[in-house]
Amino acid sequence: MPVSLDLTSPANRPRPLATVSPVDDGEKPSLIGLDREALAEALRAVGVPEKQLRMRVAQLWHWLYVRGVADFGQMANVAGDLRNALADAYSIARPEVVEEQVSVDGTRKWLFRFPAKGAGRPVEIETVYIPEEGRGTLCVSSQVGCTLTCTFCHTGTQRLVRNLTPDEIVGQVLLARERLGDFPDAATPAGAIVPSDGRLVSNVVMMGMGEPLYNFDNVRQALAVATDGEGLSLSRRRVTLSTSGVVPMIAKAGEEMGVMLAISLHAVRDELRDELVPINKKYPLKELLDACRAYPGASNARRITFEYVMLKGVNDSMADAKELVRILKGIPAKINLIPFNPWPGTVYECSDWDQIERFADYVNQAGYASPIRTPRGRDIFAACGQLKSESERMKKSDRVKLETARISELAAH
C-alpha cells in the first residue's frame, strides 16, 4: 500500500531541497561501477603489490558498496599512503544533486548532474524513488534522453545526448541510498553489514530515461555490481529491466543479466503500436512476443511484466482487452495497467477509471494478474512517462499553478 501522508501539511508538498555538489575531480576516472578485475587493475596502476590486490579489492568493494563512502579519507582500514594515491588518481565522487522534490504521496525525484566526459559537456538525468508498504523501488535512468519517440511519453520528445556509463548508473543507486539514509552510519563499526530486511531501496527498475537495451554493455556491468552479493546485494529477482522491444537483445539480456523483464507493450495491433511505440515498425508484435516466449528463465515464478498505458479512446476498449489476452497466450505474464500520466503539450488523455477497471476485470478473469498501477509522483512530474519534464523550463509561476492543480487532483482521489 502507498505511504499515507497528510496532504494539507506544507511539509509534504513538493519542494526543492538543499543541493549537494560532488568533489571536483576533473577528468579523473571513477572507480564506481568497475568489476573486481578492473578494480584490481586500477590498484595495480598505483603500485599495489600483486600479493595484496585481492585484499585491497575486497576492502574497496566493502567501503564503496556496503558502507557507501564517497571519500577515500573515510576508508579507515586502508593505509594512508594508499588512500592518498587513490585520491590523486581516481574519483569516487557522487553526481551533483541539482534538485530534490518530494511528492504528496512520498515519492522522491532527483535531478542529478554528471560531469563532462571527454570532450562532452555535463549532463542531467532524473531518478525516482517510490516508497511502498514493505519495499522501496528506485527507478533508474540508462541514457540522457531517448531515441524511441514513443508518442505518449515525454522523455521520448527529448533527443538522445549520450549513454550513461556504469559509474553513472550505479551512482544513482548509491546517491539515492545516501539521501535516504540507507547506508550504515559513519559511527558504526567498520565491519557493519546492511541488513537484507528493512532496506529503503529494496528494488531497482531500469525504467527511467532511455532504452536500457540500447546501452547494453554499460547496463549489464552496472547491474552486475548492483546485484553482487558482497556489496549492494540486490536480488536479481528484485531488479527489472524494461524495454520497448529491442528484440535481438532480449535473449542476450536474459542470459547475461538474469534480471526480471518488463515489456512496454501499450497496444495489441501493429498499426497502433507503430504509432505509439515506433520501434514496433522494426520489431513487430509477433517477433517481440516470440522473444518473450523464449526469454531465459521465464516461468510462472518469474513472469514477464507487460506494461500497458491506458489511453482514452485509443487502446482501452474491451476489444483491446480480449486481443491482449489472446496474444499473450502461452507467456508467463503479469500485466501492469498504467493510468496515463499527463505532461505539458500531450494530445492524450487518461482512460476513465470505470473503463480501466472493466479492462482489468476482463484480463483478471482470463487468468492474468492485472494490477492497476497507482499513479505516484504526478504532482512533481515523477510518474511513468514524465521524467525530465518540460516543467523544468516553465516559468516558476506557471509551474506552481500546475503543481497546485496536480495536488488538488490527488487530494480529490
Side-chain angles (χ1 to χ4, degrees):
M1 294 176 60
V3 175
S4 177
L5 293 176
D6 177 8
L7 297 174
T8 64
S9 171
N12 291 329
R13 292 174 187 160
R15 59 196 185 276
L17 299 184
T19 61
V20 174
S21 297
V23 177
D24 182 7
D25 283 319
E27 294 293 321
K28 292 179 186 176
S30 177
L31 298 184
I32 302 296
L34 298 183
D35 61 21
R36 284 180 174 80
E37 184 178 346
L39 196 53
E41 186 58 39
L43 288 168
R44 187 180 289 113
V46 294
V48 173
E50 201 70 28
K51 63 182 181 181
Q52 291 185 18
L53 284 178
R54 185 173 179 181
M55 176 191 70
R56 295 303 187 190
V57 166
Q59 286 178 325
L60 261 65
W61 200 271
H62 177 87
W63 284 110
L64 293 174
Y65 302 123
V66 176
R67 304 283 295 178
V69 304
D71 182 348
F72 290 111
Q74 294 179 301
M75 299 180 176
N77 63 347
V78 177
D81 56 349
L82 178 55
R83 293 201 306 264
N84 293 335
L86 289 170
D88 287 342
Y90 302 113
S91 168
I92 55 172
R94 306 280 164 78
E96 177 185 354
V97 182
V98 178
E99 186 177 31
E100 180 177 33
Q101 291 178 282
V102 183
S103 168
V104 294
D105 62 24
T107 297
R108 290 175 183 258
K109 183 177 74 170
W110 294 282
L111 179 63
F112 290 153
R113 179 179 294 137
F114 295 101
K117 296 278 188 183
R121 58 181 176 81
V123 294
E124 295 178 353
I125 56 95
E126 291 187 333
T127 304
V128 173
Y129 173 70
I130 306 168
E132 298 176 276
E133 188 70 31
R135 69 177 181 180
T137 300
L138 190 68
C139 184
V140 173
S141 293
S142 58
Q143 295 180 310
V144 185
C146 189
T147 62
L148 294 181
T149 65
C150 298
T151 56
F152 59 87
C153 177
H154 195 267
T155 309
T157 67
Q158 298 149 45
R159 68 181 181 87
L160 177 69
V161 177
R162 68 170 173 83
N163 288 332
L164 293 178
T165 54
D167 61 297
E168 293 167 335
I169 296 170
V170 175
Q172 294 173 65
V173 181
L174 294 176
L175 191 46
R177 289 189 60 185
E178 177 187 288
R179 300 290 289 192
L180 294 165
D182 210 17
F183 281 120
D185 186 271
T188 58
I193 296 175
V194 179
S196 58
D197 295 326
R199 285 182 172 179
L200 293 175
V201 178
S202 62
N203 295 57
V204 164
V205 292
M206 297 300 304
M207 294 183 185
M209 297 170 60
E211 166 54 63
L213 295 187
Y214 278 157
N215 188 18
F216 187 93
D217 291 344
N218 289 339
V219 168
R220 175 185 56 194
Q221 184 172 329
L223 292 184
V225 171
T227 56
D228 186 281
E230 295 178 5
L232 291 170
S233 197
L234 287 161
S235 166
R236 282 184 169 83
R237 297 190 66 170
R238 288 180 173 264
V239 176
T240 300
L241 182 145
S242 177
T243 176
S244 292
V246 186
V247 168
M249 305 302 291
I250 288 177
K252 186 176 172 68
E255 291 163 359
E256 298 185 16
M257 298 186 200
V259 298
M260 307 298 283
L261 179 68
I263 301 292
S264 293
L265 189 64
H266 311 306
V268 295
R269 302 181 306 279
D270 279 323
E271 57 270 25
L272 178 58
R273 196 165 190 269
D274 286 350
E275 176 186 340
L276 297 179
V277 189
I279 195 176
N280 193 73
K281 297 173 185 176
K282 189 172 185 179
Y283 306 115
L285 279 168
K286 184 181 185 306
E287 292 182 27
L288 174 59
L289 296 176
D290 285 348
C292 291
R293 290 186 175 91
Y295 187 69
S299 66
N300 286 332
R302 292 174 63 86
R303 293 174 293 172
I304 295 173
T305 298
F306 289 88
E307 299 158 331
Y308 196 94
V309 65
M310 301 297 293
L311 303 171
K312 185 175 183 178
V314 176
N315 65 351
D316 62 350
S317 71
M318 295 313 296
D320 289 312
K322 292 174 184 176
E323 183 65 5
L324 179 60
V325 168
R326 188 191 72 79
I327 66 174
L328 295 186
K329 186 175 181 180
I331 302 176
K334 179 178 82 170
I335 301 155
N336 270 350
L337 299 180
I338 307 169
F340 174 66
N341 297 304
W343 42 268
T346 181
V347 299
Y348 295 109
E349 297 179 50
C350 182
S351 302
D352 294 334
W353 197 259
D354 288 348
Q355 182 60 21
I356 296 175
E357 290 184 331
R358 281 193 292 270
F359 197 105
D361 287 344
Y362 181 88
V363 176
N364 266 310
Q365 289 169 12
Y368 293 97
S370 57
I372 301 170
R373 186 184 293 175
T374 304
R376 302 295 301 274
R378 276 185 172 181
D379 52 307
I380 58 170
F381 291 93
C384 181
Q386 291 183 316
L387 293 194
K388 199 67 171 65
S389 170
E390 189 69 22
S391 68
E392 290 177 18
R393 289 175 285 279
M394 289 180 178
K395 291 182 190 175
K396 182 176 180 182
S397 59
D398 291 339
R399 181 172 175 173
V400 169
K401 288 178 185 176
L402 196 49
E403 289 182 345
T404 300
R406 294 278 181 263
I407 292 169
S408 299
E409 178 187 349
L410 287 170
H413 287 288

